[in-house]
């Protein structure tokens, strides 16, 4: 099969020539095709069959041990002008980057199959959905794209109808970390990724398209592409409120998106719409509506068990691809905190020896269709998405940041998002556990200058008076001994309830220099073994520590120079003077 869209067929032919691919396969997106990908990978040893009785249609992929996470230091935004990429991105001149990448792609698919993957981000037929074509030489990528996006004929038909698509070129190359680059050309709507097979670097629909390129498009077109989960919280009266929440990688987005209400909350339900990315547009009434551009979950495996995330645990019992987990003697997948079974072989295929570190890689992943999730919302397929009542920012902070607080208004909320910070995790290579500024959880994903991004966020203030309220949460506050103060997981619903009550004007709040905090007792802790003092500690604001934080934020803003919007500086100034 090929295409009648000349711009696409010419591009594919040119890449096939450049890379000297042996054959070209146009992906149709059927289950039979996926099964064939799996058979080929099993034959080559790229996939291993897991125990088919306990884990039907589940497979294990072991990646190159040097290719297990996103590589932010090798990820670039190549805009014409350096200042348009901003201090938040690595930058290279587009011509230079293209030359470098063409050199790497030259002849790199000799003897390999080139897959052409037309895909749709968002529900097919939604006015908010966008299309792309990824070219790759990795069968693993093609199989994962089948689970993560709406890929194949239907997407191609739409691309042929409109002629519009994002071009994504990917090769695993030699998997050599010294010859690895993830390049974005937002002004040309193009992505070039070489030398990695890891999800965030190689499944180009996800971080590269749906965040870096889409954030750039969203700014020019007046919408938002964000690193946010989307959930619906249904109360016992049957009313559902939708929330979009931004947390950095490995801060529990998937767990919150799939939350099962605790036993104390009979009659409540939480519906998953997305666990990683939200595209949000203003509708005719000025409400922000969100769709999830993805169709699957690419989640962190360690820590997933029947208590922390029963829905995820259930979702990955069939039709899942596991990457870099360990194995039990029964050939079941195993990971840290699985709560059942014992590892006999680690993620690198060595006999398990605790001296070698964790059995599963800390960033080991599962890929499954979102439809596997028992709490998947039907509205996740709705072309117009869902109206968002609250936007929630968060991070992983041992101290300082209270369990929850609310911004005074939209502009203050933009400051709250812009000042978010978190301890780093294994989702990206580099040191783990150091606090870094991660505005809107978009540090690794914003395809242009953060200062312009904040202006874009602020611009919504003048476009609608029905915008969602903005909150900040921190599930990760600890006592001096290092123990978590808040139980987290399903109990986080108690905090979401306060957020929703605020949105409906059902509860008052206490004003503080950093925003509105819950009144004592306003967060329902019935049935929880948590002392009053612990709640006070969780909701406390230390003015001295906050002053330092705001001063350091002021210094951070300085690194963006004059482009930082005056409105944001004014909000920052207001908080700082309230703390003095
Ligand atoms: C992810 C990430 O994989 O944020 O979602 O790293
Ligand atoms: Mn993510």
């Amino acid at each position: 099969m090929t295409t009648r869209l000349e711009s696409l067929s010419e591009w594919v032919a040119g890449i096939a020539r450049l890379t000297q691919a042996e054959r070209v396969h146009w992906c149709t997106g059927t289950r039979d095709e996926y099964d064939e990908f799996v058979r080929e990978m099993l034959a080559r040893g790229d996939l291993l069959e897991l125990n088919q009785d306990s884990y039907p249609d589940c497979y294990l992929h072991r990646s190159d041990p040097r290719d297990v996470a996103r590589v932010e230091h090798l990820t670039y935004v190549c805009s014409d002008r350096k200042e348009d990429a901003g201090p938040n991105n690595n930058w290279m001149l587009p011509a230079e980057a293209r030359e470098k990448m063409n050199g790497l792609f030259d002849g790199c698919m000799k003897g390999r199959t080139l897959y052409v993957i037309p895909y749709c981000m968002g529900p097919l037929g939604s006015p908010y959905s966008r299309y792309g074509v990824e070219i790759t030489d990795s069968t693993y990528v093609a199989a994962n794209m089948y689970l993560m996006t709406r890929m194949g004929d239907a997407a191609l038909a739409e691309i042929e109808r409109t002629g519009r698509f994002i071009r994504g070129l990917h090769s695993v190359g030699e998997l050599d970390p010294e010859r690895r680059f993830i390049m974005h050309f937002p002004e040309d709507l193009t992505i070039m990724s070489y030398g990695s097979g890891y999800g965030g670097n190689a499944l180009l629909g996800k971080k590269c398209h749906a965040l870096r390129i889409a954030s750039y498009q969203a700014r020019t077109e007046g919408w938002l592409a964000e690193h946010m989960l989307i959930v619906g919280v249904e109360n016992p009266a049957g009313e559902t409120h939708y929330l979009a929440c931004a947390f950095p990688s490995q801060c529990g987005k998937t767990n919150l998106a799939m939350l099962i209400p605790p036993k104390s909350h009979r009659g409540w339900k939480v519906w998953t719409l997305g666990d990683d990315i939200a595209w949000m547009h203003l509708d005719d009434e000025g409400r922000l509506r969100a769709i999830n551009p993805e169709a699957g979950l690419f989640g962190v495996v360690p820590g997933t068990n029947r208590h922390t995330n029963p829905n995820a645990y259930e979702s990955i019992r069939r039709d899942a691809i596991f990457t870099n987990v360990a194995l039990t003697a029964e050939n079941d997948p195993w990971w840290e905190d699985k709560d059942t079974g014992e590892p006999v072989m680690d993620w690198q295929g060595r006999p398990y020896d605790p001296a070698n570190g964790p059995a599963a890689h800390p960033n080991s992943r599962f890929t499954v269709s979102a439809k596997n999730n028992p709490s998947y919302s039907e509205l996740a397929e709705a072309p117009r998405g869902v109206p968002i009542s609250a936007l929630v920012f968060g991070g992983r902070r041992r101290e300082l940041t209270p369990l929850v607080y609310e911004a005074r208004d939209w502009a203050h909320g933009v400051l709250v998002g812009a000042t978010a910070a978190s301890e780093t995790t294994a989702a990206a290579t580099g040191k783990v556990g150091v606090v870094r500024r991660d505005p809107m959880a978009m540090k690794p994903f914003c395809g242009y200058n953060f200062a312009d991004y904040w202006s874009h966020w602020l611009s919504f203030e003048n476009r609608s008076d029905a915008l969602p309220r903005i909150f900040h949460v921190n599930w990760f506050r600890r006592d001096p001994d290092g123990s978590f103060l808040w139980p987290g997981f399903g109990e986080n619903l108690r905090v979401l309830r306060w957020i929703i009550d605020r949105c409906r004007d059902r509860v008052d709040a206490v004003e503080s220099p950093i925003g509105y905090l819950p009144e004592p007792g306003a967060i329902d802790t019935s049935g929880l073994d948590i002392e009053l003092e612990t709640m006070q500690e969780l909701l406390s604001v230390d003015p001295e520590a906050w002053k330092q934080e705001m001063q350091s934020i002021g210094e951070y803003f300085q690194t963006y120079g004059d482009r930082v919007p005056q409105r944001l500086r004014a909000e920052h100034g207001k908080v700082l003077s309230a703390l003095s």
Side-chain angles (χ1 to χ4, degrees):
M1 197 192 72
T2 169
T3 177
R4 56 190 171 79
L5 183 66
E6 238 170 72
S7 57
L8 176 55
S9 55
E10 278 171 13
W11 177 56
V12 172
I15 298 298
R17 264 195 311 277
L18 172 70
T19 57
Q20 297 173 36
E22 187 164 308
R23 60 196 93 73
V24 175
H25 174 99
W26 287 74
C27 295
T28 55
T30 61
R31 173 71 198 213
D32 283 351
E33 182 184 59
Y34 172 79
D35 291 341
E36 184 53 36
F37 292 157
V38 167
R39 273 194 295 276
E40 282 172 27
M41 285 189 283
L42 287 170
R44 278 201 303 267
D46 284 352
L47 280 188
L48 302 172
E49 203 169 65
L50 291 166
N51 183 330
Q52 294 296 298
D53 293 325
S54 42
Y55 282 85
D57 295 314
C58 289
Y59 304 94
L60 167 65
H61 172 73
R62 291 197 186 112
S63 76
D64 184 300
R66 301 163 305 168
D67 184 33
V68 291
R70 286 183 290 100
V71 280
E72 294 179 10
H73 61 298
L74 301 173
T75 300
Y76 286 72
V77 167
C78 308
S79 43
D80 280 342
R81 291 183 312 186
K82 184 170 187 199
E83 13 357 324
D84 292 340
N88 46 309
N89 283 302
N90 300 313
W91 175 83
M92 203 180 284
L93 257 181
E96 194 187 319
R98 274 185 195 283
E99 200 183 308
K100 185 185 253 324
M101 296 308 275
N102 284 340
L104 292 171
F105 278 101
D106 193 354
C108 75
M109 297 189 192
K110 263 189 212 145
R112 295 185 187 167
T113 300
L114 178 160
Y115 297 92
V116 182
I117 307 172
Y119 63 86
C120 170
M121 299 309 286
L124 281 158
S126 162
Y128 305 143
S129 293
R130 295 301 170 99
Y131 295 80
V133 177
E134 173 165 357
I135 292 180
T136 180
D137 54 5
S138 160
T139 322
Y140 170 82
V141 166
N144 275 270
M145 286 292 281
Y146 169 79
L147 296 172
M148 293 298 298
T149 71
R150 285 112 176 147
M151 98 173 189
D153 289 348
L156 180 61
E158 191 57 18
I159 290 169
E160 288 177 335
R161 196 180 67 76
T162 63
R164 283 205 299 266
F165 63 99
I166 306 288
R167 291 163 197 238
L169 174 56
H170 169 255
S171 170
V172 287
E174 312 79 28
L175 293 174
D176 175 356
E178 302 299 320
R179 285 164 57 82
R180 179 175 297 163
F181 289 101
I182 324 297
M183 299 280 192
H184 303 76
F185 304 86
E187 289 146 4
D188 293 331
L189 304 181
T190 299
I191 305 155
M192 292 172 110
S193 166
Y194 188 89
S196 168
Y198 172 75
N201 303 326
L203 310 178
L204 300 186
K206 193 174 179 61
K207 304 300 188 182
C208 301
H209 177 166
L211 287 175
R212 297 194 191 96
I213 298 287
S215 62
Y216 172 87
Q217 291 183 297
R219 178 186 171 220
T220 41
E221 297 166 10
W223 50 284
L224 293 166
E226 298 300 323
H227 191 206
M228 290 180 171
L229 65 94
I230 313 165
V231 273
V233 179
E234 183 179 331
N235 68 17
E239 298 162 355
T240 306
H241 289 90
Y242 296 94
L243 279 61
C245 313
F247 308 126
S249 315
Q250 288 201 347
C251 285
K253 282 213 301 298
T254 305
N255 288 345
L256 188 65
M258 299 171 98
L259 183 150
I260 291 196
K263 286 211 173 59
S264 54
H265 281 62
R266 197 165 309 140
W268 289 81
K269 274 201 80 72
V270 172
W271 300 102
T272 316
L273 288 101
D275 81 324
D276 197 39
I277 301 178
W279 285 357
M280 296 182 287
H281 292 73
L282 286 179
D283 67 12
D284 294 343
E285 284 101 60
R287 282 175 315 180
L288 205 53
R289 302 191 74 90
I291 61 161
N292 170 14
E294 301 192 278
L297 307 168
F298 179 67
V300 178
V301 193
T304 306
N305 62 46
R306 286 198 191 93
H307 307 288
T308 55
N309 192 338
N311 278 329
Y313 195 78
E314 196 48 45
S315 306
I316 57 181
R317 292 302 295 253
R318 62 190 165 86
D319 290 306
I321 298 178
F322 289 86
T323 302
N324 292 338
V325 294
L327 286 177
T328 68
E330 295 74 38
N331 204 30
D332 283 345
W334 194 90
W335 53 86
E336 272 62 27
D337 293 326
K338 186 181 182 188
D339 272 3
T340 163
E342 295 282 331
V344 294
M345 201 177 270
D346 74 7
W347 64 278
Q348 297 189 58
R350 301 173 298 192
Y352 175 56
D353 177 353
N356 289 332
H361 188 276
N363 193 34
S364 50
R365 298 282 179 146
F366 58 78
T367 322
V368 283
S369 161
K371 292 191 176 137
N372 272 28
N373 171 9
S375 66
Y376 188 56
S377 165
E378 273 177 25
L379 289 179
E381 304 290 333
R384 296 189 65 237
V386 291
I388 296 296
S389 301
L391 296 174
V392 184
F393 295 111
R396 184 183 281 273
R397 297 297 294 266
R398 289 176 161 259
E399 41 202 34
L400 189 82
T401 316
L403 179 61
V404 59
Y405 64 99
E406 181 188 347
R408 283 186 308 275
D409 53 28
W410 183 263
H412 178 224
V414 175
L415 176 74
V416 168
T419 56
S422 194
E423 292 153 24
T424 49
T425 67
T429 49
K431 207 161 172 233
V432 168
V434 284
V435 174
R436 77 160 177 180
R437 301 251 150 253
D438 196 348
M440 281 81 170
M442 283 286 277
K443 166 72 187 75
F445 307 122
C446 182
Y448 63 101
N449 190 321
F450 256 153
D452 300 339
Y453 170 78
W454 298 322
S455 297
H456 178 50
W457 264 84
L458 286 164
S459 72
F460 281 73
E461 185 183 34
N462 305 322
R463 292 175 54 201
S464 162
D465 45 24
L467 291 169
R469 301 231 204 155
I470 300 182
F471 297 80
H472 189 286
V473 297
N474 175 23
W475 318 130
F476 300 96
R477 199 146 157 178
R478 303 204 200 193
D479 67 15
D481 300 334
S483 311
F484 288 107
L485 291 170
W486 177 249
F489 301 108
E491 307 299 347
N492 290 338
L493 178 59
R494 297 169 189 266
V495 176
L496 303 188
R497 278 176 54 202
W498 183 78
I499 290 175
I500 293 166
D501 282 346
R502 285 293 297 163
C503 295
R504 311 209 62 206
D505 291 322
R506 281 185 185 156
V507 279
D508 289 333
V510 184
E511 199 161 352
S512 87
I514 65 163
Y516 297 117
L517 289 155
E519 287 188 322
I523 296 197
D524 175 10
T525 54
S526 53
L528 267 191
D529 187 17
I530 192 162
E531 307 277 329
L532 192 64
E533 296 87 80
T534 308
M535 283 312 287
Q536 279 164 351
E537 167 79 22
L538 275 164
L539 295 171
S540 63
V541 174
D542 174 349
E544 218 20 70
W546 266 98
K547 212 162 128 185
Q548 279 174 28
E549 175 80 353
M550 293 312 284
Q551 275 156 354
S552 113
I553 285 159
E555 284 158 25
Y556 175 66
F557 284 165
Q558 287 306 332
T559 61
Y560 290 86
D562 293 346
R563 270 168 109 123
V564 175
Q566 196 42 47
R567 184 97 174 89
L568 193 67
R569 288 188 197 277
E571 285 302 318
H572 175 250
K574 264 194 238 167
V575 176
L576 203 53
S577 56
L579 286 161
S580 301

